[in-house]
């Protein structure tokens, strides 16, 4: 016999919730429109284990909870109430009376919608009934395994990609009309949205959250977000959500000391405090918190059809000392600084997500040296399937920021990454973090004259595309935004009217399409035998060249990071035949100076770079060139 709690709650669900195994807790916690005992209304359920009383307050009772006392379900710590006559749009909070008699007004941790800031109440929203059109996309995901397919991510902050006016954001519907076709035209395979979970402060960019289940009302209603994702899938674009399970903000209406005690953040303030960000860490050993967070990951995929999550600040979750002063240091039971509870949580998170969604993307934003982040948990790994390559990003940007005249002394910054490029499944990110807080935009990191900055950015992007690993580029980078990202202002779209910015935009579009159309650049990304240096040690000339092998062909890359050009640069190649230039960053149409029409090079039987065959090419300064070779192509 199935045991039920008041108003149809199942005791089995609450048991799993208390055990940390209710991976769909959003189905019964929070506010749900339903029929109960012949009446239409809304059932509310909230976890507040140490509360003396919990009352429901809102517009419907003039914020007086005296007649809306919630019922505690035995020892579960869950309180429940059914209110007949309520429906979608009802605005509410929980009035929690703590054990000391203090009264707190709290937003619903499981609310599907929140009022638009600065208001902080929760809003009843029914997520059922959306007419999805993406069945083909969802049914064929397994035919596009991420490891052996292109992954080219456009990172977007929804609040500043475009603006209609000051704090007049595009809605999810308007983003569907404008952003989706733009990303498709530019050749991106995925859009990654910076956190959309409800957050009170715009300048947190969504990384300090109060409503984990509520898509931000800045941009509209939940079903409008569904429409946006649906449009992405119809256009053949996947959608990734930047997800923040490591910490939450301290605003009074949020999770902090939710029932008067630290139930989400834990009792030990040394573990809870994140002083660098002014936030609180989740208590990963608390079962109900594990249910809350893993359910949240499942929720975005089940209800909104997100294709994956980018998990923020993994290193901060792993390391008990990271970004903390000595007085907040703690050690684990073995005397180490690894957060064992966080590690167990991440393993269970990935196991659960892949159980329900085997084709999901679970991407770790991790700057640590923790091993086997993208290995399966049964092999001792953390179970993610991709990890940001922060080491490559830091090295290559440091190298590109160096004047070309001095680069010969820093050649290792270009080549070191290939010593570990296949140790994890990597994404190569040029993210928002690299173009804020005085770091300068990617274009403005480049030394030299105005024209040289563009030449070098084109070169950098070419090397990025050709290097093993999946790709991510932050919005604005595609036309060489000159200023840092300004989160309160729209991107500098007007720059497209300027010649070199417009040509940079054209170049990135061409580069993106070359990437997605050339299997050797992604088909064997995890296979070290699919990469081969042609010339790795040419520090004196600051030139590198290498081969990427696909299943049925290969490409040859040559990149010149110096100001010296070469009319007849000889390049060793592995097979005799015709080598077709498929991209040249120095073409006039992209802002360069090369108007030469030669696109095909027949190899000569002249040994070079350790190969029996070679080609002689024109190699401009500060340039990237990509050649394709296919078996049987001789002319």
């Amino acid at each position: 016999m199935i045991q039920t709690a008041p108003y149809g709650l199942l005791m089995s669900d609450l048991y799993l919730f208390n055990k940390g195994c209710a991976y769909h807790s959003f189905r019964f916690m929070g506010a749900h429109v339903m029929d109960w005992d012949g009446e239409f209304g809304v059932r509310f359920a909230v976890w507040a284990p140490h509360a003396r009383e919990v009352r429901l307050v809102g517009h419907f009772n003039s914020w007086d909870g005296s007649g809306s006392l919630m019922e505690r379900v035995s020892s579960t710590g869950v309180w429940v109430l059914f209110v007949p006559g309520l429906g979608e749009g009802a605005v509410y909070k929980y009035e929690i009376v703590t054990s000391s008699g203090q009264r707190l007004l709290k937003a619903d941790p499981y609310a599907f919608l929140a009022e638009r800031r600065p208001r902080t109440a929760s809003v009843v929203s029914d997520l059922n009934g959306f007419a999805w059109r993406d069945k083909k996309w969802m049914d064929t995901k397994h035919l596009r395994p991420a490891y052996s397919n292109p992954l080219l991510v456009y990172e977007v902050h929804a609040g500043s990609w475009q603006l209609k006016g000051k704090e007049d954001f595009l809605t999810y519907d308007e983003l569907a009309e404008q952003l989706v076709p733009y990303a498709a035209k530019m050749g991106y395979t995925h859009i990654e949205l910076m956190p959309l979970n409800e957050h009170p402060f715009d300048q947190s960019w969504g990384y300090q959250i109060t409503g984990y289940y509520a898509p931000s009302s800045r941009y509209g209603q939940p079903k409008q977000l569904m429409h946006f994702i649906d449009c992405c899938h119809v256009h053949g674009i996947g959608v990734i959500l930047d997800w923040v399970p490591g910490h939450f903000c301290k605003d009074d209406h949020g999770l902090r000391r939710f029932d008067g005690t630290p139930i989400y953040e834990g009792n030990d303030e040394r573990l809870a405090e994140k002083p660098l960000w002014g936030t609180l860490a989740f208590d990963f050993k608390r079962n109900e918190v594990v249910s809350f967070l893993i359910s949240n990951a499942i929720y975005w995929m089940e209800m909104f059809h997100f294709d994956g999550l980018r998990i923020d600040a993994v290193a901060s979750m792993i390391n008990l000392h990271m970004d903390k002063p000595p007085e907040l240091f703690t050690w684990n039971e073995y005397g180490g600084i690894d957060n064992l509870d966080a590690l167990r949580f991440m393993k269970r998170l990935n196991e659960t997500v892949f159980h329900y969604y085997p084709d999901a993307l679970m991407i770790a934003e991790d700057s640590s040296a923790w091993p086997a982040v993208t290995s399966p948990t049964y092999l001792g790994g953390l179970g993610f399937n991709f990890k940001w390559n922060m080491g490559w990003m830091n090295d290559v940007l440091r190298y590109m920021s160096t004047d070309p005249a001095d680069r010969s002394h820093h050649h290792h910054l270009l080549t070191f990454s290939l010593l570990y490029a296949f140790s994890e499944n990597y994404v190569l990110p040029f993210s928002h973090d690299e173009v804020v807080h005085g770091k300068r935009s990617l274009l403005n990191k480049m030394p030299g004259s105005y024209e040289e900055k563009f030449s070098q950015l084109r070169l950098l992007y070419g090397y990025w595309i050709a290097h093993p690993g999946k790709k991510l580029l932050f919005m604005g980078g595609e036309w060489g935004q000159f200023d840092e990202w300004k989160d309160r202002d729209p991107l500098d779209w007007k720059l497209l009217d300027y010649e070199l910015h417009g040509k940079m935009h054209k170049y990135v579009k061409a580069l993106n399409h070359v990437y997605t159309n050339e299997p050797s650049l992604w088909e064997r990304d995890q296979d070290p035998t699919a990469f081969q240096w042609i010339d790795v040690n040419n520090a004196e000339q600051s030139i590198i060249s290498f081969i990427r092998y696909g299943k049925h062909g290969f490409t040859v890359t040559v990149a010149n990071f110096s100001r010296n050009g070469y009319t007849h640069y000889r390049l060793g190649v592995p097979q005799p035949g015709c080598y077709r230039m498929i991209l040249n960053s120095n073409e006039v149409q992209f802002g360069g100076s090369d108007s030469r029409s030669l696109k095909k090079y027949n190899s000569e039987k002249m040994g070079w770079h350790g190969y029996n065959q070679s080609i002689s090419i024109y190699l401009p300064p500060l340039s990237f060139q990509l050649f394709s070779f296919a078996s049987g192509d001789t002319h």
Side-chain angles (χ1 to χ4, degrees):
M1 181 177 179
I2 299 177
Q3 289 184 306
T4 60
Y7 310 115
L9 274 178
L10 298 179
M11 290 302 296
S12 58
D13 284 340
L14 298 184
Y15 172 81
L16 291 174
F17 176 71
N18 292 143
K19 290 294 184 181
C21 301
Y23 302 137
H24 296 82
S25 58
F26 58 88
R27 295 178 181 173
F28 57 87
M29 297 295 288
H32 292 270
V33 177
M34 60 183 292
D35 288 301
W36 175 253
D37 201 20
E39 290 189 282
F40 175 84
V42 180
R43 185 186 68 198
F44 299 86
V46 63
W47 177 57
H50 305 117
R52 181 191 298 175
E53 289 182 355
V54 181
R55 299 166 180 168
L56 187 72
V57 296
H59 292 326
F60 49 86
N61 61 11
S62 300
W63 299 93
D64 179 1
S66 58
S68 302
L69 184 64
M70 300 184 74
E71 182 177 345
R72 185 181 180 116
V73 184
S74 62
S75 60
T76 65
V78 174
W79 300 75
V80 62
L81 177 67
F82 178 78
V83 181
L86 281 189
E88 277 202 281
V91 178
Y92 69 100
K93 280 187 177 180
Y94 298 117
E95 182 182 51
I96 295 176
V97 181
T98 70
S99 58
S100 65
Q102 182 185 10
R103 297 178 185 273
L104 307 174
L105 281 179
K106 292 288 188 177
D108 187 349
Y110 280 89
F112 299 151
L113 181 62
E115 289 186 299
R116 182 162 173 166
R117 91 280 183 266
R119 297 187 296 273
T120 59
S122 301
V123 181
V124 174
S125 181
D126 186 357
L127 301 186
N128 297 308
F130 181 78
W132 291 95
R133 303 171 298 159
D134 66 348
K135 186 177 188 301
K136 181 180 178 181
W137 172 273
M138 301 296 284
D139 288 347
T140 59
K141 269 197 210 182
H142 66 282
L143 301 176
R144 305 182 299 274
Y147 300 115
S148 57
N149 275 276
L151 183 65
L152 178 57
V153 182
Y154 187 46
E155 187 189 26
V156 172
H157 178 251
S160 60
W161 184 73
Q162 286 190 8
L163 281 170
K164 294 178 286 187
K166 185 178 180 181
E167 295 191 11
D168 190 3
F169 306 111
L170 295 185
T171 66
Y172 295 119
D173 286 341
E174 290 167 329
L175 287 166
E177 294 171 0
Q178 299 178 42
L179 171 58
V180 175
Y182 172 79
K185 180 180 177 182
M186 288 296 295
Y188 294 102
T189 66
H190 290 71
I191 293 172
E192 179 176 304
L193 295 165
M194 290 169 65
L196 291 177
N197 316 68
E198 194 58 79
H199 52 283
F201 184 49
D202 291 352
Q203 276 65 61
S204 78
W205 310 333
Y207 290 96
Q208 297 186 14
I209 295 168
T210 50
Y212 269 79
Y213 287 81
S216 179
S217 55
R218 289 167 177 78
Y219 316 120
Q221 300 291 308
K223 287 182 180 176
Q224 291 178 294
L225 175 57
M226 294 178 185
H227 172 66
F228 170 82
I229 296 170
D230 194 46
C231 286
C232 285
H233 289 170
V234 169
H235 280 77
I237 296 174
V239 193
I240 301 165
L241 177 65
D242 202 338
W243 190 59
V244 191
H247 62 121
F248 57 90
C249 65
K250 295 182 177 182
D251 291 58
D252 287 342
H253 67 284
L255 300 178
R256 177 179 177 269
R257 298 187 68 85
F258 188 79
D259 65 357
T261 65
I263 60 172
Y264 283 93
E265 64 269 35
N267 289 308
D268 190 339
E269 71 170 13
R270 296 173 302 167
L271 287 170
E273 288 290 339
K274 293 280 190 183
L276 183 68
W277 298 318
T279 56
L280 295 168
F282 281 103
D283 181 2
F284 296 112
K285 66 177 176 292
R286 184 78 185 241
N287 287 337
E288 294 86 353
V289 172
V290 172
S291 286
F292 174 81
L293 287 173
I294 295 182
S295 291
N296 190 246
I298 298 296
Y299 164 80
W300 292 110
M301 296 182 188
E302 178 176 309
M303 301 305 298
F304 290 88
H305 292 197
F306 274 100
D307 298 286
L309 303 174
R310 176 266 199 188
I311 291 76
D312 180 62
V314 168
S316 180
M317 296 165 67
I318 290 175
N319 190 329
L320 291 168
H321 291 183
M322 187 170 180
D323 299 324
K324 290 188 176 184
E327 60 268 23
L328 294 181
F329 283 1
T330 56
W331 288 263
N332 64 34
E333 59 195 86
Y334 304 107
I337 63 171
D338 301 328
N339 188 331
L340 302 180
D341 295 313
L343 290 167
R344 281 189 286 267
F345 162 75
M346 281 185 268
K347 291 178 181 181
R348 196 198 295 188
L349 166 71
N350 288 316
E351 290 169 351
T352 305
V353 167
F354 289 126
H355 172 76
Y356 291 105
Y357 298 97
D359 305 307
L361 294 167
M362 294 295 285
I363 305 169
E365 187 265 315
D366 177 28
S367 59
S368 77
W370 190 268
V373 171
T374 58
S375 292
T377 58
Y378 61 80
L379 293 178
L382 293 186
F384 294 95
N385 54 4
F386 286 98
K387 170 183 173 173
W388 277 19
N389 194 336
M390 311 292 277
W392 174 87
M393 179 271 299
N394 284 317
D395 282 352
V396 75
L397 290 182
R398 180 181 163 199
Y399 179 85
M400 293 302 298
S401 298
T402 303
D403 189 276
D406 298 322
R407 284 176 179 165
S408 61
H409 304 296
H410 303 278
H411 193 70
H412 65 285
L413 294 175
L414 273 184
T415 61
F416 177 70
S417 60
L418 269 302
L419 295 178
Y420 63 87
F422 306 101
S423 62
E424 302 275 7
N425 303 324
Y426 281 118
V427 174
L428 309 182
F430 290 134
S431 76
H432 67 276
D433 277 329
E434 307 317 311
V435 294
V436 291
H437 302 322
K439 295 180 182 178
R440 297 175 293 170
S441 69
L442 291 181
L443 179 67
N444 213 11
K445 292 180 197 290
M446 304 297 113
S449 68
Y450 180 76
E451 290 78 10
E452 283 182 332
K453 287 179 180 294
F454 285 91
S455 295
Q456 293 185 86
L457 187 59
R458 294 193 303 270
L459 166 60
L460 171 62
Y461 286 162
Y463 176 55
W464 166 68
I465 281 291
H467 190 288
K470 309 307 182 184
K471 323 296 176 186
L472 178 141
L473 181 65
F474 184 57
M475 62 183 196
E478 67 267 32
W479 61 73
Q481 176 135 330
F482 215 97
D483 289 341
E484 287 189 343
W485 170 48
K486 305 175 287 291
D487 52 58
R488 296 189 182 193
D489 300 318
L491 294 177
D492 294 332
W493 292 92
K494 62 183 180 294
L495 289 178
L496 289 174
D497 295 332
Y498 292 81
E499 181 182 8
L500 285 181
H501 292 282
K503 289 184 173 182
M504 174 65 74
H505 192 241
K506 184 177 182 179
Y507 172 72
V508 170
K509 180 182 177 182
L511 186 67
N512 288 352
H513 285 282
V514 164
Y515 169 73
T516 55
N517 291 326
E518 179 46 65
S520 68
L521 298 179
W522 40 261
E523 203 168 36
R524 298 171 62 190
D525 256 332
Q526 285 73 44
D527 182 356
T529 67
F531 177 91
Q532 189 172 12
W533 285 110
I534 296 175
D535 189 2
V536 61
N537 295 315
N538 194 349
E540 183 178 352
Q541 291 179 300
S542 298
I543 297 172
I544 59 171
S545 50
F546 54 84
I547 304 165
R548 295 290 307 277
Y549 288 96
K551 293 179 181 178
H552 305 290
F554 63 87
T555 52
V556 172
T557 287
V558 57
N560 181 7
F561 293 89
S562 78
R563 290 191 176 102
N564 299 317
Y566 302 90
T567 304
H568 300 288
Y569 181 83
R570 187 156 293 277
L571 182 69
V573 292
Q575 291 188 30
C578 180
Y579 289 78
R580 300 171 181 267
M581 182 186 289
I582 55 177
L583 197 73
N584 175 7
S585 70
N586 194 49
E587 288 189 31
V588 170
Q589 64 171 325
F590 301 140
S593 59
D594 190 358
S595 59
R596 300 180 181 215
S597 59
L598 188 60
K599 293 291 184 179
K600 299 177 183 179
Y601 298 83
N602 290 313
S603 67
E604 303 172 68
K605 195 172 183 180
M606 181 181 295
W608 213 263
H609 291 138
Y611 295 97
N612 293 327
Q613 297 281 322
S614 61
I615 57 177
S616 178
I617 64 172
Y618 168 58
L619 184 61
L622 302 173
S623 68
F624 164 84
Q625 295 181 9
L626 184 68
F627 302 86
S628 70
F629 178 92
S631 178
D633 188 0
T634 59
H635 60 278

